[in-house]
Amino acid sequence: MEKKMTTMIAAVAVVAVVLVAGAFVILNNDDDGTKNAAIASQLQIRGNANDDYTIDGKDLDIVNDVIAGTKTLAEYPLADVNNDGDVNDADVSLLKDLIDRKDGTTVYVVCLDRNGDSTTVQVTYPLRNVVPYGTNMQLPTLYANGGQYVVGYFVSSYTTAEASISSTARDLEGSQRKISDAAWSNFTALDASISGGLGAILVDYSGISVISEKRMGDLNAAGIPMICYESADATAEITTVLTLGFLFGGECETMGVKYAQTAWNLIKEINDKLKDVKDEDKTSYICCTMYIYICGASSSFNTSATTAGGVAYASLNSDFNTTYTDNSTKMASVEALSKFTDVDVIINNRSMDWGLTEEQIKDLVIDTWDHNNSGKLSTEYFAKFLDKLVYIDNLLPGAVKLAYMAHAMYGDTFSREWADGVLQDYIDMGTLPLNGQTLDTVLAYIDLSTYNAVKA
């Protein structure tokens, strides 16, 4: 399935442009001469006319140039600040309010609709009173330090990682993969109980099926905007954190920018170090999830591993590609992968909470590696691949997951210490889900050597 793009790419003057995982990375020089990564159209806000990571006077200059006719809307589509198809004084007025970060300003957010197509929704700045659905959207909300603005959640499964959700937020009693009618009723009742109603529902596109046409009608009738991104993908997760940080405002905006720039600098580093690796020499991978589910080519786990420099095994083996077409498929037997032993690496994505003691780390390593899948251990399913198998914590920031994926596929180029350093960078930057954590309390990565060391 072709992945729909949420971004609109406009022409901008840049130092360098690198195509990565379907998005343009723009490398600009900071005032101090150092290179930092900005993100083309990754701040999904109309008014971000020059496609960088913020809204400022540079955007106003472009809007005025479009009005004057020296630039065109086709070149700078985000210059249409109020999404009415034209650029005029009304856009200038709204953009000035955005530049001033004026409370009560209407913001036009570019995101996905129920069909996965690009749309624009209106929210009020600063965004407050949000309800996220699904871990892949809930954690980006928290990584932007927006937990204080969460007033309800359908499920919270990770005590430490999700601890920054507001203590007053209401448990709407849903689940990771389903919103029952009762949970939806709790959601609509919550909206009715809040003065001014909910600011938005935040949805990861991988879980969009829970927002039925009828429920979308409920949202429209109540005036509740739905902000939806493919936030399970590591690069789209960067977009999500950056955009939500801007919408929450203040310290959250600062965090979103740091989070995104660190991530894109990492992706540039991966690209630079692998630029001379020929396609035929790239490491092939198969991604798995939920222990024994094989990810199809369109899975966000696969797109993330491609961003980390690998090549999807599905693109090399037609038999594998036609067998595993769904987002994830449970292995039918322990022999399911027996025909595909020439793959280089198997990356198993496993959500693991942190804040662990040394003994808890050891227990989690063993439980993960030897996991009992209805009577058959994971080691039976991966018996021919144990030296190729790694587990990566899916709760970690997208850039950190990319770092560990790059290490798994190119260990001589990207050391474990390097990947750990990326995790340390995110711990140090002050994003609240990782508050108080250390490299010793987070089980980020498991391979055969990790397992053997614990068992010894």
Side-chain angles (χ1 to χ4, degrees):
M1 179 184 296
E2 182 181 356
K3 182 178 178 182
K4 294 181 173 67
M5 295 302 299
T6 66
T7 57
M8 295 180 296
I9 306 301
V12 290
V14 299
V15 175
V17 178
V18 183
L19 185 61
V20 177
F24 285 97
V25 184
I26 304 176
L27 309 174
N28 292 326
N29 282 326
D30 286 346
D31 292 339
D32 63 359
T34 61
K35 280 191 174 181
N36 228 333
I39 304 164
S41 283
Q42 291 298 303
L43 177 60
Q44 299 287 282
I45 306 294
R46 288 189 171 275
N48 179 28
N50 69 343
D51 293 326
D52 65 2
Y53 57 88
T54 190
I55 292 180
D56 55 20
K58 297 175 184 177
D59 301 298
L60 184 60
D61 291 341
I62 291 173
V63 170
N64 283 325
D65 286 343
V66 172
I67 293 172
T70 57
K71 290 183 171 64
T72 69
L73 181 57
E75 292 177 298
Y76 298 92
L78 294 181
D80 181 9
V81 188
N82 61 6
N83 194 38
D84 66 353
D86 194 12
V87 181
N88 51 37
D89 289 343
D91 295 286
V92 171
S93 178
L94 179 56
L95 182 53
K96 286 181 178 178
D97 287 344
L98 286 175
I99 292 171
D100 291 339
R101 308 303 195 259
K102 182 179 177 181
D103 285 4
T105 298
T106 298
V107 183
Y108 293 81
V109 184
V110 180
C111 56
L112 296 175
D113 64 14
R114 283 185 65 249
N115 299 316
D117 296 319
S118 181
T119 189
T120 298
V121 301
Q122 299 178 41
V123 302
T124 300
Y125 179 90
L127 182 61
R128 297 291 185 265
N129 299 332
V130 300
V131 174
Y133 174 68
T135 301
N136 290 324
M137 177 57 80
Q138 199 147 284
L139 274 170
T141 303
L142 305 184
Y143 280 132
N145 288 358
Q148 59 196 307
Y149 306 123
V150 173
V151 292
Y153 55 90
F154 289 101
V155 62
S156 179
S157 303
Y158 305 100
T159 302
T160 302
E162 296 177 328
S164 61
I165 293 175
S166 171
S167 61
T168 61
R170 181 177 174 186
D171 182 354
L172 302 175
E173 301 177 356
S175 71
Q176 286 287 6
R177 294 176 178 81
K178 184 179 180 181
I179 298 177
S180 66
D181 289 342
W184 189 254
S185 293
N186 291 337
F187 169 77
T188 56
L190 177 63
D191 174 59
S193 71
I194 294 175
S195 177
L198 294 173
I201 182 172
L202 313 175
V203 181
D204 166 46
Y205 189 71
S206 67
I208 196 63
S209 61
V210 303
I211 308 297
S212 63
E213 187 173 343
K214 180 182 181 302
R215 288 176 176 176
M216 196 70 225
D218 292 342
L219 295 175
N220 291 334
I224 304 172
M226 181 180 75
I227 298 177
C228 179
Y229 294 117
E230 291 180 304
S231 47
D233 173 78
T235 48
E237 186 244 29
I238 302 165
T239 297
T240 305
V241 176
L242 180 66
T243 302
L244 291 178
F246 178 90
L247 293 173
F248 293 137
E251 179 269 338
C252 294
E253 180 181 357
T254 302
M255 177 56 61
V257 171
K258 286 197 296 185
Y259 190 99
Q261 288 183 325
T262 301
W264 284 100
N265 286 336
L266 171 90
I267 292 173
K268 180 183 182 296
E269 181 178 359
I270 292 173
N271 287 338
D272 286 348
K273 289 184 177 179
L274 298 179
K275 65 182 179 181
D276 295 326
V277 179
K278 297 178 181 178
D279 288 345
E280 59 268 26
D281 295 329
K282 287 186 176 180
T283 298
S284 64
Y285 65 82
I286 292 173
C287 279
C288 297
T289 186
M290 296 182 290
Y291 298 107
I292 58 170
Y293 283 74
I294 298 175
C295 301
S298 63
S299 166
S300 59
F301 293 125
N302 276 317
T303 55
S304 297
T306 297
T307 303
V311 57
Y313 188 72
S315 68
L316 304 175
N317 188 302
S318 59
D319 187 17
F320 179 90
N321 188 46
T322 55
T323 301
Y324 299 103
T325 56
D326 294 338
N327 197 45
S328 64
T329 304
K330 187 176 181 179
M331 292 190 206
S333 72
V334 295
E335 295 297 321
L337 292 174
S338 60
K339 296 187 296 182
F340 311 120
T341 54
D342 57 329
V343 68
D344 295 320
V345 175
I346 294 182
I347 299 173
N348 213 319
N349 299 272
R350 164 94 166 94
S351 295
M352 300 179 286
D353 204 0
W354 42 77
L356 305 174
T357 65
E358 182 178 355
E359 286 305 309
Q360 288 172 327
I361 292 270
K362 291 179 179 179
D363 290 343
L364 187 52
V365 169
I366 294 170
D367 177 72
T368 299
W369 200 262
D370 293 338
H371 188 73
N372 190 322
N373 303 280
S374 301
K376 293 187 182 296
L377 301 183
S378 290
T379 48
E380 294 183 65
Y381 285 93
F382 299 108
K384 299 177 181 179
F385 304 89
L386 293 180
D387 59 338
K388 300 179 179 182
L389 176 65
V390 302
Y391 288 86
I392 295 175
D393 187 354
N394 190 47
L395 299 184
L396 292 169
V400 179
K401 289 185 283 189
L402 291 176
Y404 285 110
M405 287 180 177
H407 167 63
M409 293 186 288
Y410 302 97
D412 292 339
T413 303
F414 304 102
S415 69
R416 174 64 185 272
E417 290 74 22
W418 171 85
D420 286 343
V422 176
L423 172 55
Q424 188 65 57
D425 287 342
Y426 276 86
I427 291 173
D428 293 342
M429 76 171 53
T431 182
L432 288 177
L434 288 166
N435 182 45
Q437 301 309 307
T438 70
L439 296 179
D440 293 327
T441 64
V442 177
L443 180 56
Y445 183 90
I446 306 170
D447 59 10
L448 183 58
S449 64
T450 308
Y451 174 77
N452 287 337
V454 167
K455 292 286 285 187

